[in-house]
Amino acid sequence: RRRMTEALLATLAPIAACGVALGGLTTWVGSGSAGSPARIAVTDGRVFLPYGDVRDTAAFFRITNSGGADDRLLKVTSSAVDGDLELSRHRMTSGRMAYAETVDSARVPAGGGLAMSPYGLDVTLRSDSGWQTGTYVPFTLHFEHGGRIEVQAVVIRPGEQG
């Protein structure tokens, strides 16, 4: 009798763990998220028109992920831009001074998105001297799972809506 009780107790823990795991998986599948890859869309591309002799500027995009898995923006390229483009994150210090740091990638959460702005994540680049308000600039955004997405960004003056 004692051996049988010990055997039952020994098998109870793995059976309970399997039941909890199965319940979690059933909930995940039932919500429609199981096996749903990242589905990335990129809209609202804007590039600030620099003024004066300054040629460094920034580009911004609205990225949405309607899929069930996170993705990562790895890099941004453009055939219309000389030099490297960098993902940069702008932060405020406690003294209200802003600084920018280069980042390797940016998370695009499942069922969510990423809205780039001058106060957060953007793409820093060197503008072409011929750009004017209304000029469209081609960009390619490279994602870890979503692949390459080609978009156009319109050149605007800082403070304008694109």
Side-chain angles (χ1 to χ4, degrees), residues 27-156:
T27 302
W28 185 48
V29 169
S31 72
S33 296
S36 174
R39 284 193 295 272
I40 302 295
V42 181
T43 58
D44 297 333
R46 302 168 326 279
V47 179
F48 280 164
L49 179 68
Y51 51 90
D53 294 335
V54 176
R55 289 193 47 211
D56 293 331
T57 190
F60 313 94
F61 303 92
R62 182 174 306 280
I63 302 167
T64 56
N65 180 358
S66 59
D70 290 356
D71 206 342
R72 292 197 80 71
L73 174 61
L74 301 175
K75 68 178 179 176
V76 179
T77 58
S78 175
S79 59
V81 174
D82 291 332
D84 292 332
L85 284 72
E86 292 183 335
L87 290 173
S88 298
R89 185 171 310 278
H90 299 269
R91 299 188 186 270
M92 296 296 284
T93 63
S94 59
R96 294 222 181 258
M97 189 169 165
Y99 71 95
E101 62 183 358
T102 301
V103 295
D104 294 330
S105 64
R107 179 177 171 261
V108 184
L114 174 65
M116 295 182 171
S117 79
Y119 310 106
L121 185 73
D122 67 19
V123 180
T124 56
L125 60 122
R126 180 148 297 211
S127 70
D128 183 274
S129 59
W131 289 355
Q132 301 174 17
T133 302
T135 300
Y136 281 90
V137 181
F139 287 91
T140 303
L141 283 71
H142 303 260
F143 294 90
E144 183 175 27
H145 302 294
R148 298 167 26 133
I149 297 179
E150 295 182 7
V151 296
Q152 298 281 325
V154 64
V155 177
I156 63 169

